Amino acid sequence: MNASAIFDQPLGNQITDWVNSIPNDGLLHFFGLLGAEYLVPTSVESLSDVLSNRSYQFQKTSGLHRYAVRFFGEGLVVQEGNKHKKNRKSFVQVFNQRQVDKLKPILSSKASQIVKHVSENCVSDNEKGAKLATINVNEFAKLISLDVMGIIALGIDFNSILGQNLEIFDVFQTLFSSNDHKKSHFMWHNSAPPSLVTMFPSKIDRQMETAYRQLRKSLEQLIPEKLASLQSTDLSDQDILTQIACSGDFTQEEIIPQIVTTLAAGFESTASSLSWTLYCLAANLEAQNNLRQELREAKSTKNALSEEDYEKLPLLNGVCSEASRLFPTFAMTLRKAISDTYINGRLVHAGTYIAIVPRAINRAKHLWGEDAEQFVPERWIDRSDSTAPKINPTGGSYSPICMLSFLYGPRSCVGRSLALAEIRRVTARIVECFHLQTASSSIPQPTGWLSSGPPPDLNLLFSPVEK
Ligand code: HEM
């Protein structure tokens, strides 16, 4: 029995070791608590069956469904079957490339505001006289993420990075942040009989329910106000909330859960990925210097990078993809077969759990090579034409399915382009303006359970770059 593989810290760590050490034919097999049977797809073929070819035969667990519905409402993330198919179409429409392109200038101006704010907080270091700011990047990235989520989802700039609206930040933290207390909380909700969970509400239950009520109340006020102030019938210029509210695809009761779930899906995930990206650069000074050089060269003939530059610069893309590969926010996600089915030609009985483990697949040596556990941004760059390096979309792996940070197929992340657009802009602006260094020699490990982020006290040193 290997129950610890499911409750492991960092999440998915043990399965990563298995994938890299146990020879297998594309599926690993183990027994968890109470003899529950788990399969772990490890090859392109078996992952394709679970995530793409037969994805609707593998559903999220009832424990996760109950938990999400109770604290966020029933949104796309936990919907299944035809309901999911139908609603996903509306989401894909709202998050399409044209929409994301429209949001890019807003993301860029937020990135500039962040740089200005950090500059103002750099104070002289007594010993060397150099200017320096010690920043808890985990918290800093969450403030950025809240501001961006506010703008894109609700059309409101909370300016939390400037210290405003911190009560909203508390609501987001309480509801959406993952930590060790939440781990036990989620395990209790997942494994105890639902009647027992309802009968004995915990402190975290009460805090999360209060935060959910607060958020609902604000949204209930905001939605009619926004709809009343709509000037035109062209919704494409509107934020996600307005587009979802006006799409006609959702009833009044469905709108708020969809918005809250979207905030849940995007808030901490983007913050964690940004924190890890900055950490990877602080811990890999050569990559950091090379990236700064790439940004300088791209800017050499103009005042600022264009929106297109952020998407095309090979090393900027390589750094962000590589950090996200090594530190996927959703390190493991469980599914359950709803009927007898097949994975890679093997019969899988109804009720079998499938552990999809982005951490393990993203670090699998048979898919990425012997350096799979190293930070190598260059793997995302195609230098076959030495005068014109290009982005390599698979990072040198066998298939796009080998990079599971945003999952793959009909249940993959709808916010991927948007999240990457934000992370690239903030990372580029920070590296242009600051040298980053780690504040401690210890190597931080991912924490949290539903989602895995950096440790809560991950500090980095920011010092201004000489112009
Ligand atoms: C770096 C940041 C992000 C990462 C790593 C990420 C990752 C993921 C992953 C792995 C899933 C699948 C979860 C599962 O099925 O178990 C997912 C789903 C989803 N994500 Fe993201 N996400 C990010 C940012 C965002 C943002 C910014 C938004 C929206 C504003 C968003 C909205 C969603 C939604 C709505 C789903 C559900 C899709 C479905 O079930 O069809 N995500 N995300």
Side-chain angles (χ1 to χ4, degrees):
M1 201 188 60
N2 278 292
S4 60
I6 295 296
F7 304 115
D8 204 12
Q9 272 305 321
L11 190 60
N13 205 35
Q14 187 168 338
I15 296 181
T16 306
D17 288 347
W18 289 346
V19 169
N20 278 329
S21 61
I22 302 177
N24 65 82
D25 59 357
L27 275 178
L28 287 173
H29 179 258
F30 70 97
F31 290 101
L33 269 186
L34 305 174
E37 191 179 5
Y38 287 84
L39 292 175
V40 184
T42 62
S43 67
V44 169
E45 295 74 20
S46 48
L47 286 164
S48 301
D49 276 349
V50 175
L51 295 174
S52 176
N53 307 334
R54 302 192 168 88
S55 70
Y56 283 103
Q57 292 182 26
F58 302 99
Q59 297 195 344
K60 298 195 178 173
T61 61
S62 50
L64 174 74
H65 186 268
R66 270 197 311 276
Y67 187 86
V69 170
R70 176 161 174 181
F71 297 112
F72 315 138
E74 194 196 83
L76 187 70
V77 180
V78 288
Q79 290 180 322
E80 300 289 352
N82 288 337
K83 206 179 205 181
H84 177 267
K85 272 187 204 160
K86 174 183 158 282
N87 290 343
R88 183 159 169 114
K89 275 195 197 140
S90 313
F91 270 76
V92 168
Q93 188 66 25
V94 169
F95 284 91
N96 70 29
Q97 200 52 52
R98 225 179 99 234
Q99 297 295 346
V100 175
D101 287 345
K102 281 191 187 163
L103 290 166
K104 286 174 180 168
I106 302 176
L107 298 175
S108 297
S109 67
K110 199 70 199 168
S112 298
Q113 186 193 47
I114 289 156
V115 163
K116 185 164 175 277
H117 175 71
V118 177
S119 301
E120 285 165 5
N121 280 284
C122 280
V123 290
S124 287
D125 173 14
N126 285 341
E127 278 172 32
K128 297 179 195 149
K131 287 203 156 190
L132 196 68
T134 303
I135 293 185
N136 176 333
V137 275
N138 196 11
E139 197 171 310
F140 173 65
K142 283 186 195 172
L143 292 169
I144 298 172
S145 186
L146 171 63
D147 283 2
V148 172
M149 288 305 283
I151 297 170
I152 58 173
L154 312 172
I156 301 172
D157 188 348
F158 292 121
N159 274 323
S160 67
I161 194 81
L162 303 180
Q164 298 170 18
N165 295 303
L166 292 184
E167 65 288 352
I168 307 277
F169 184 63
D170 288 340
V171 167
F172 269 58
Q173 284 267 66
T174 306
L175 261 183
F176 306 137
S177 280
S178 189
N179 57 36
D180 284 346
H181 301 300
K182 289 264 190 78
K183 175 183 169 182
S184 326
H185 182 245
F186 182 68
M187 280 163 69
W188 162 245
H189 275 258
N190 219 2
S191 43
S195 54
L196 219 57
V197 171
T198 319
M199 215 180 299
F200 298 106
S202 65
K203 189 172 158 203
I204 299 186
D205 285 336
R206 282 192 289 270
Q207 287 170 339
M208 287 181 74
E209 275 167 352
T210 307
Y212 183 42
R213 267 198 306 278
Q214 273 173 276
L215 193 54
R216 272 196 80 100
K217 205 166 144 213
S218 310
L219 290 172
E220 275 160 8
Q221 278 169 359
L222 188 64
I223 293 171
E225 279 169 26
K226 290 187 77 70
L227 298 190
S229 66
L230 260 187
Q231 298 288 322
S232 94
T233 49
D234 177 12
L235 294 178
S236 61
D237 281 336
Q238 302 298 326
D239 51 76
I240 296 173
L241 182 151
T242 309
Q243 292 198 40
I244 286 184
C246 294
S247 65
D249 296 336
F250 300 97
T251 63
Q252 284 302 317
E253 294 73 48
E254 286 171 329
I255 293 171
I256 289 180
Q258 290 293 0
I259 299 288
V260 177
T261 314
T262 307
L263 297 174
F267 168 65
E268 193 168 67
S269 52
T270 314
S272 297
S273 295
L274 175 61
S275 306
W276 283 121
T277 307
L278 298 180
Y279 167 75
C280 287
L281 287 167
N284 294 276
L285 295 181
E286 194 183 338
Q288 187 189 142
N289 290 335
N290 291 342
L291 175 57
R292 194 168 295 114
Q293 187 58 29
E294 179 182 81
L295 296 166
R296 276 190 185 143
E297 281 167 17
K299 245 178 83 174
S300 60
T301 54
K302 50 195 173 193
N303 283 337
L305 293 177
S306 68
E307 297 304 339
E308 208 186 350
D309 288 332
Y310 288 111
E311 310 309 322
K312 290 215 167 134
L313 289 175
L315 191 54
L316 177 60
N317 173 79
V319 161
C320 298
S321 300
E322 188 66 349
S324 160
R325 180 185 72 82
L326 282 177
F327 298 104
T329 313
F330 296 97
M332 168 151 65
T333 170
L334 290 182
R335 302 285 192 268
K336 199 171 182 180
I338 53 166
S339 54
D340 286 357
T341 182
Y342 288 88
I343 300 179
N344 198 15
R346 173 171 163 172
L347 176 65
V348 173
H349 290 294
T352 307
Y353 288 100
I354 315 297
I356 303 161
V357 194
R359 181 178 167 94
I361 299 305
N362 291 2
R363 290 171 175 242
K365 292 185 178 161
H366 68 288
L367 301 172
W368 292 92
E370 279 307 306
D371 61 358
E373 303 225 37
Q374 312 297 318
F375 179 73
V376 186
E378 280 290 319
R379 72 174 91 238
W380 298 92
I381 305 178
D382 170 0
R383 294 200 186 271
S384 51
D385 175 352
S386 58
T387 56
K390 290 194 301 275
I391 291 173
N392 175 350
T394 57
S397 68
Y398 289 112
S399 142
I401 210 169
C402 302
M403 163 70 170
L404 284 187
S405 302
F406 295 91
L407 232 55
Y408 183 87
R411 298 227 63 139
S412 62
C413 178
V414 291
R416 176 187 181 137
S417 301
L418 188 60
L420 286 173
E422 173 185 340
I423 293 168
R424 286 192 193 115
R425 279 157 184 76
V426 177
T427 302
R429 293 290 288 125
I430 286 182
V431 169
E432 259 189 285
C433 300
F434 303 99
H435 288 287
L436 301 176
Q437 280 169 269
T438 51
S440 143
S441 57
S442 63
I443 298 178
Q445 295 298 329
T447 59
W449 209 53
L450 251 183
S451 70
S452 321
D457 57 351
L458 178 61
N459 286 325
L460 294 183
L461 308 178
F462 288 57
S463 53
V465 166
E466 301 280 325
K467 293 281 171 193

